[in-house]
């Protein structure tokens, strides 16, 4: 797993990448619900189906945009959270 962050204008973008089985694009909405797993995850019989649901809930609470895409070379998954600076948030400067 690789976690990285970048500042782009007034946005902070958090990337989380893994090299697991990935999640089919048709299942990416479903896995944001509690106890839900993609077909490949269910086949592995690992996990509880809560991780991405928790991420999705906190993204909503914090006003962040959550997106999913295939990982590098089509392997794994990249989860991206985009946070926008607000009038009450500290100014983002530099690169993480």
């Amino acid at each position: 797993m690789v976690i990285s962050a970048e500042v782009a204008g007034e946005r902070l973008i958090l990337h989380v990448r893994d090299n697991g089985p990935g999640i089919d694009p048709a299942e990416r909405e479903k896995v944001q619900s509690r106890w839900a797993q993609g077909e490949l995850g269910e086949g592995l019989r690992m996990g509880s189906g809560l991780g991405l649901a928790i991420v999705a809930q906190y993204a909503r609470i914090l006003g962040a945009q959550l997106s999913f895409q295939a990982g590098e070379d089509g392997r794994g998954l990249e989860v991206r959270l985009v946070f926008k600076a607000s009038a009450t948030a500290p100014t983002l400067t530099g690169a993480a």
Side-chain angles (χ1 to χ4, degrees):
M1 180 178 296
V2 177
I3 301 171
S4 62
E6 65 180 292
V7 175
E10 293 191 10
R11 300 178 304 151
L12 172 66
I13 305 170
L14 177 66
H15 305 267
V16 180
R17 298 176 189 96
D18 70 18
N19 61 356
I23 299 174
D24 187 282
E27 296 180 313
R28 292 179 184 168
E29 187 69 31
K30 171 185 142 183
V31 298
Q32 295 179 55
S33 299
R34 287 181 290 175
W35 312 115
Q37 291 183 304
E39 186 176 325
L40 293 172
E42 289 174 354
L44 292 173
R45 298 180 185 243
M46 296 176 65
S48 63
L50 288 175
L52 291 174
I54 292 168
V55 171
Q57 180 65 24
Y58 272 97
R60 283 188 289 276
I61 290 168
L62 297 172
Q65 179 185 3
L66 174 64
S67 64
F68 303 93
Q69 62 188 44
E72 287 187 30
D73 300 323
R75 295 189 55 195
L77 182 70
E78 178 178 340
V79 177
R80 186 179 294 181
L81 284 162
V82 179
F83 299 90
K84 294 180 183 174
S86 69
T88 58
T91 303
L92 302 172
T93 58

